[in-house]
Amino acid sequence: QVQAEVRALKHQTGLALTGQTYYRLDDGLAIDEDDAVSRYKAKVQVELRWNFLNSSLIHRKGRVHELELQGDIQRLALSKDNVARQVAEHQDYFRAKYDSLLAGILQHRLYNLTLMNEAQMFLLEHGNISSDELLTNINDKAEAERNLMAIAKNYPAANSLSKPSGFVVEIDSLALIDYVRQHHPDLHLLQLQSEMLMQQMHNETYWQRLNISPFVRYSYYFRTDLANSTNVDFGVNFNIPITGEAGKKRVAMDAKRMIIDKEKEEATKKIEENIRAILLDIERLNRVSTAELQRMQDLKRYLQIRSHAYLNRKGGYNIILRTKEYNTYLVCWEKFLSYQYQRDCLLMTLQTYLTDTSIFDFCVGTII
């Protein structure tokens, strides 16, 4: 589109071919006041005029640059739409990934909770326990069922949960903020608008309203008493407006440009604050993910020790307590996945601040 508009601009020659032809009724009405030499009954006139100040020869470079800036602004708007679509696709992918993992864990925990319910109900019916612990278990089971029902698809139960692992992300915050400062779509748009106004200020001149047009005119006269005659004229047509509008418009554009520059400055501060807040949240999620993973490993060792102890002991196996221990381990799994999912969503939020590069170009992942 820009290339087509530039070609159209370059074909603005400023040339205009005009003409007129008419027939005089004075002779037939006997009221012609011209003498015999100048008297004519019809006339054909053709004129070629060149308004060179309105051609592509004047301020071509500046006008072409203005068209290019307009194209950049439109292109940037499309880039923002594409980024929003890509971010939404990545978020859907992360959601599906963590839903599948969470569903696999929840099914094991629901099985355990169901088993605990049956055991506690049996003990309650025989008067061996109070109903307080059973009510807590029922509430935990209902909450787990709600979480599982919130997952859109049906996923199989996890085959193994004995090797918890994940990763933390370190982000080069200085490089990221510097890149965003230079390429953020909103900031870039304000910069382009400022450049557009600056270019329009340069293009807005008094010469735009001035019309100085050399012309050549050919006239042919059909005369009654004498032979037909022709006439060729050369001249200059000019229109000089007496106005200071161009200067006032430049002042208004400059004021608007200063406002945009101030808006860009404030927007830059706000964006940097938002990014730093997101980076702090990612750092926090890295810490809690590492801590939760360590807690899971500790619980895993604890469960192994308890299993070994039960194997070397006759009788006294407490199925309710044992199931609670496994569920504690599964709850840690759920929290760990939640932290990892929140972290990935924040990474996608950072991606919205970028248009032509990936947030992962600023990241280093470490397996934990």
Side-chain angles (χ1 to χ4, degrees):
Q1 178 185 347
V2 171
Q3 291 174 352
E5 291 175 347
V6 170
R7 285 195 297 268
L9 172 65
K10 291 181 177 180
H11 281 78
Q12 292 179 1
T13 63
L15 291 170
L17 183 66
T18 61
Q20 59 178 337
T21 177
Y22 56 88
Y23 182 82
R24 300 181 68 178
L25 300 176
D26 299 21
D27 185 45
L29 299 174
I31 57 174
D32 193 348
E33 297 180 354
D34 293 339
D35 56 38
V37 176
S38 61
R39 184 181 299 127
Y40 62 91
K41 61 182 180 181
K43 177 183 178 181
V44 176
Q45 187 178 77
V46 178
E47 176 181 300
L48 179 64
R49 179 175 299 186
W50 183 33
N51 184 0
F52 64 92
L53 293 177
N54 197 31
S55 70
S56 62
L57 299 176
I58 306 300
H59 298 300
R60 172 186 288 190
K61 185 177 180 180
R63 293 161 69 185
V64 168
H65 188 216
E66 184 176 344
L67 292 175
E68 291 172 344
L69 288 172
Q70 290 175 352
D72 290 341
I73 291 174
Q74 294 176 356
R75 191 179 301 111
L76 182 61
L78 292 175
S79 298
K80 288 181 62 178
D81 293 339
N82 290 335
V83 169
R85 176 178 54 80
Q86 292 170 3
V87 167
E89 291 175 354
H90 278 84
Q91 288 175 335
D92 290 342
Y93 166 77
F94 289 141
R95 183 67 181 177
K97 173 185 174 181
Y98 288 104
D99 277 353
S100 66
L101 297 174
L102 182 61
I105 296 171
L106 283 171
Q107 291 178 66
H108 286 291
R109 191 155 74 91
L110 278 172
Y111 175 82
N112 289 345
L113 289 169
T114 301
L115 184 64
M116 290 173 60
N117 273 352
E118 294 175 352
Q120 289 175 336
M121 184 63 70
F122 175 83
L123 294 174
L124 179 64
E125 290 174 351
H126 291 78
N128 293 327
I129 63 171
S130 67
S131 62
D132 295 341
E133 192 172 357
L134 177 60
L135 180 60
T136 301
N137 189 68
I138 291 174
N139 289 333
D140 290 342
K141 183 173 181 291
E143 182 65 24
E145 288 174 340
R146 281 193 289 268
N147 292 337
L148 185 60
M149 292 176 63
I151 297 175
K153 296 182 179 180
N154 294 323
Y155 296 100
N159 293 327
S160 175
L161 295 172
S162 61
K163 296 181 180 180
S165 65
F167 66 95
V168 295
V169 175
E170 295 181 3
I171 301 177
D172 189 344
S173 58
L174 293 179
L176 174 62
I177 291 176
D178 183 66
Y179 189 90
V180 169
R181 192 183 294 117
Q182 300 296 326
H183 299 89
H184 186 271
D186 292 340
L187 300 181
H188 194 193
L189 178 61
L190 290 171
Q191 179 63 33
L192 290 174
Q193 291 175 347
S194 179
E195 293 179 11
M196 172 74 78
L197 284 170
M198 180 65 73
Q199 187 58 60
Q200 289 175 344
M201 285 172 57
H202 290 308
N203 293 344
E204 182 69 33
T205 63
Y206 176 76
W207 299 97
Q208 285 183 310
R209 293 162 180 78
L210 189 64
N211 183 355
I212 300 178
S213 303
F215 67 88
V216 56
R217 182 187 301 128
Y218 173 81
S219 303
Y220 189 90
Y221 299 91
F222 296 91
R223 298 195 293 185
T224 304
D225 301 327
L226 300 174
N228 296 341
S229 65
T230 60
N231 187 31
V232 178
D233 299 319
F234 294 93
V236 176
N237 181 276
F238 60 88
N239 181 4
I240 303 176
I242 303 175
T243 177
E245 182 182 0
K248 298 300 182 182
K249 279 191 173 183
R250 286 196 299 271
V251 172
M253 290 178 183
D254 189 48
K256 187 175 181 180
R257 182 187 61 81
M258 293 174 63
I259 293 174
I260 290 177
D261 290 343
K262 185 63 177 178
E263 289 178 354
K264 181 186 175 184
E265 180 182 345
E266 296 299 324
T268 301
K269 292 179 181 179
K270 183 176 181 180
I271 288 172
E272 290 180 3
E273 290 174 357
N274 292 340
I275 290 177
R276 289 191 176 95
I278 294 173
L279 292 175
L280 288 175
D281 286 340
I282 290 176
E283 183 180 354
R284 177 184 61 81
L285 290 169
N286 282 337
R287 292 197 304 270
V288 295
S289 293
T290 304
E292 200 66 35
L293 185 62
Q294 182 62 47
R295 190 174 296 110
M296 292 164 63
Q297 292 171 347
D298 294 341
L299 281 170
K300 179 183 174 182
R301 286 193 294 270
Y302 169 79
L303 291 171
Q304 290 172 342
I305 294 172
R306 294 277 286 173
S307 296
H308 181 72
Y310 277 122
L311 289 175
N312 296 325
R313 178 181 177 183
K314 294 182 179 180
Y317 186 84
N318 189 331
I319 187 172
I320 296 179
L321 181 60
R322 188 64 171 160
T323 306
K324 282 183 179 180
E325 293 171 351
Y326 278 112
N327 271 5
T328 301
Y329 179 73
L330 293 177
V331 170
C332 288
W333 256 110
E334 294 175 25
K335 290 182 178 180
F336 177 73
L337 291 178
S338 174
Y339 297 148
Q340 296 277 287
Y341 174 65
Q342 292 176 51
R343 189 270 321 284
D344 288 348
C345 288
L346 289 176
L347 287 175
M348 287 300 98
T349 301
L350 289 178
Q351 182 63 65
T352 61
Y353 292 93
L354 307 170
T355 54
D356 53 357
T357 190
S358 171
I359 182 60
F360 299 109
D361 293 339
F362 303 91
C363 300
V364 175
T366 304
I367 297 177
I368 55 175

